[in-house]
Amino acid sequence: MRWTQTSKIVYLPCIYRNTNTLKPDYLATVDVDPKSSTYCQVIHRLPMPNLCDELHHSGWNACSSCFGDASRKRNRLILPSLISSRIYVVDVETNPRAPQIHKIVEPVDLFWKCGLANPHTTHCLGNGQVMISCLGDPSGNGKGGFVLLDGQTFDVVGNWEHPGEAAPFGYDFWYQPQHNVMISTEWGAPKALANGFDPADVAGGHYGSCLHVWNWDTHRKLQTIDLGKDGGIPLEVRFLHDPSATEGYVGCALSGSVFRFYKTLEGDWAAESVISIPSKKVEGWTLPEMPGLITDILISLDDRFLYFSNWLHGDIRQYDITDRRKPRLVGQLFLGGSIVSDGPVKVLQDREKQPDPRIIQGRRVPGGPQMLQLSLDGLRLYVTTSLYSGWDKQFYPDMIKEGSVMMQIDVDSVNGGLSLNENFLVDFGKEPDGPVLAHEVRYPGGDCTSDIWL
């Protein structure tokens, strides 16, 4: 099956963190139509009415899981704020190129009604509701619960999980109704990760290493899969797009590994490591070994290719996953990172040569490749470089001063292979009020990381 990509614009949340004068985050609309006179430009900015929100990921009020209802439309973009715990509902129907705020869900509603805070991943549900995973409780402790919003009014309905059954930590989730299952992942306690990464917090038990298996119908937690030392900080989780599939993948940031999770013959769920990125022995860095830090993964809509980013090492990888248990590397591209040849870090033992810095249209790529979004036809992979402001400041302080970028990778979707489109660059260092950090790309027509098929 071949999908077409009709979207001519994309949406990205952007945040200011480089000056002493606080400015509100905003939603940027970017023109990605090569035939347009404003190609590669931010054509609209929707500022939020509050400060220090930390817009991060976004999701839709409707997607493929509820398209059996002809009245449902993908006309509201849900923007959770990772720090303030505020949720913005944005009208993208009235004027898609100039969205406007439709409703604001205040943090107190999450705190009092759900005992949750730090909302992260948004998915629409087939029953019309919107579900958002959370990282913690209102005090900054880890708590992996889920907030339900009414799909019409966007009022907080309550918790999806039963009382007392929240996971120790939260982050991402993906559900698969055909098999009555949902899988959720873990990052860390909000108060531990807020000001940067401290290895002592891992030893102190403030970061996760587990997958949680939930019964989709009853909302009961059925199983916890501890991935162990090879599965530290499992972040983005992706089922295969085929709704009949009983397997998927999760990227583990700290350990530099990708696990395949699957349903066993006995009916429970298990996981196995199928990709491992070795840490590099280095000098001139905070630690003697540098992990790749896999921060985002996605699967092409035909379920043939898996993509992920190594934010610290600086490369994007493409794997052929036709053999689900034995992914095969078919594409790799370095785009910045912490081991560039002219940087302060020296790699002591490695078969890979230290990459040269990446320059696009005279602009040195700051940071490393982080959030990924693949066009529906599988031919264009969009990449941004900001992870989370507290960690950006620690690992890539120059990006705080210079702003992040958005790039486009051209994909060989037949034989595999990645190449940089030198004609595409969105430089968020040139924003009117100063450099900003841009995060996840979202298509108006749906994409590889927001749509779930029934």
Side-chain angles (χ1 to χ4, degrees), residues 26-31 38 40-45 426 428 431:
Y26 62 90
L27 180 68
T29 305
V30 174
D31 188 334
T38 54
C40 292
Q41 295 180 29
V42 178
I43 57 174
H44 185 264
R45 299 165 185 87
V426 183
F428 288 95
E431 286 295 89

Side-chain angles (χ1 to χ4, degrees), residues 52-128:
C52 300
D53 281 319
E54 187 95 17
L55 299 180
H56 193 64
H57 285 202
S58 63
W60 294 105
N61 65 314
C63 64
S64 298
S65 66
C66 55
F67 276 173
D69 182 351
S71 68
R72 302 300 307 281
K73 295 186 290 184
R74 191 187 277 107
N75 60 359
R76 299 290 184 265
L77 184 66
I78 315 300
L79 274 175
S81 303
L82 197 58
I83 290 178
S84 72
S85 298
R86 192 171 282 110
I87 299 171
Y88 296 98
V89 181
V90 178
D91 174 7
V92 296
E93 178 182 37
T94 304
N95 187 349
R97 296 173 70 88
Q100 298 298 320
I101 292 176
H102 172 73
K103 181 184 177 71
I104 301 175
V105 179
E106 294 296 344
V108 66
D109 289 336
L110 274 66
F111 299 166
W112 285 50
K113 293 182 179 180
C114 302
L116 293 171
N118 312 103
H120 186 269
T121 297
T122 302
H123 281 302
C124 72
L125 307 185
N127 65 4

